[in-house]
Amino acid sequence: MHPQSAAVAPRIRHLPGVEGVWVFVYADMAVFALMFGCFMWDRHQAPALFEASRQALNLDFGGINTLILLSSSMLVVLGVDALKHGRAALAPRYFGSTAACSVAFIVSKILEYGQKFDAGIGLTSNAFFQYYFIMTGLHLGHVAVGTVIVAVLAVKSRGVQAGDSIALYEGGATYWHMVDLLWVCIFPLLYLVR
């Protein structure tokens, strides 16, 4: 019998994390999808207003925030991967770096909001800015919750031993990826679509 023909045990596929996280993610994504649909409908009704308002957004902030969150997603993947492959000592650094990215996003978003308020733009300025502040504000709330989650993962991962369950870490990473995915939808919708 050739070594290459030896039977290999099939990989058992599983849903990362716990089921409850996925229920929350799907429900949350449905709420945001409904908001995105309403935004597109209203944008279709008043294209000139929405385009003029879009041009008042700072594309630099949007782009920087996108890079921050995409980097954070990569870091959380590296943290979970380190736990899966016996490199648990690296996991706290990756999760801690993810938390640092999320804090950078929060600071950037606060600066962006400050810029809008200084220009006299607020939630009641027009329909576009109602959507802007509601969608980005809800997303910012999700980032704040995610910051706490990944900070807890950074601390807890210091004690992970080989063979320990990593479902908690996979669940936290799943939540964080949802936060990133929401931003990947919000950024082009608000900042780029003409």
Side-chain angles (χ1 to χ4, degrees):
M1 185 163 152
H2 296 292
Q4 294 173 340
S5 66
V8 177
R11 282 183 67 172
I12 298 172
R13 298 174 76 70
H14 75 284
L15 197 60
V18 293
E19 291 80 10
V21 171
W22 286 98
V23 170
F24 174 79
V25 165
Y26 289 134
D28 212 34
M29 294 297 287
V31 169
F32 272 91
L34 181 61
M35 272 192 287
F36 298 157
C38 291
F39 173 87
M40 293 302 291
W41 174 262
D42 286 348
R43 183 180 173 278
H44 179 71
Q45 303 302 313
L49 170 73
F50 275 59
E51 177 57 19
S53 299
R54 182 195 67 80
Q55 290 183 16
L57 296 181
N58 187 324
L59 191 56
D60 292 337
F61 275 117
I64 289 167
N65 287 339
T66 301
L67 288 174
I68 289 169
L69 286 182
L70 290 176
S71 298
S72 72
S73 242
M74 179 192 69
L75 290 164
V76 83
V77 165
L78 291 171
V80 171
D81 187 67
L83 293 175
K84 281 183 180 177
H85 294 99
R87 299 184 312 272
L90 295 174
R93 291 183 212 158
Y94 289 130
F95 292 128
S97 296
T98 303
C101 285
S102 64
V103 169
F105 180 92
I106 292 168
V107 169
S108 176
K109 202 71 199 155
I110 289 169
L111 292 173
E112 184 180 3
Y113 283 161
Q115 193 179 65
K116 295 292 161 283
F117 297 145
D118 288 347
I121 297 170
L123 181 65
T124 59
S125 293
N126 62 37
F128 175 89
F129 284 109
Q130 283 181 332
Y131 281 110
Y132 168 80
F133 283 107
I134 289 171
M135 284 194 282
T136 61
L138 284 172
H139 179 262
L140 186 60
H142 283 69
V143 172
V145 169
T147 303
V148 173
I149 290 170
V150 293
V152 167
L153 295 182
V155 172
K156 287 186 71 65
S157 63
R158 291 180 185 151
V160 174
Q161 302 295 319
D164 287 353
S165 170
I166 61 166
L168 172 73
Y169 304 93
E170 290 175 331
T174 299
Y175 176 86
W176 191 254
H177 290 312
M178 178 201 67
V179 169
D180 289 347
L181 179 59
L182 288 174
W183 182 256
V184 167
C185 295
I186 290 169
F187 172 61
L189 194 63
L190 293 176
Y191 292 78
L192 302 178
V193 174
R194 297 174 185 227

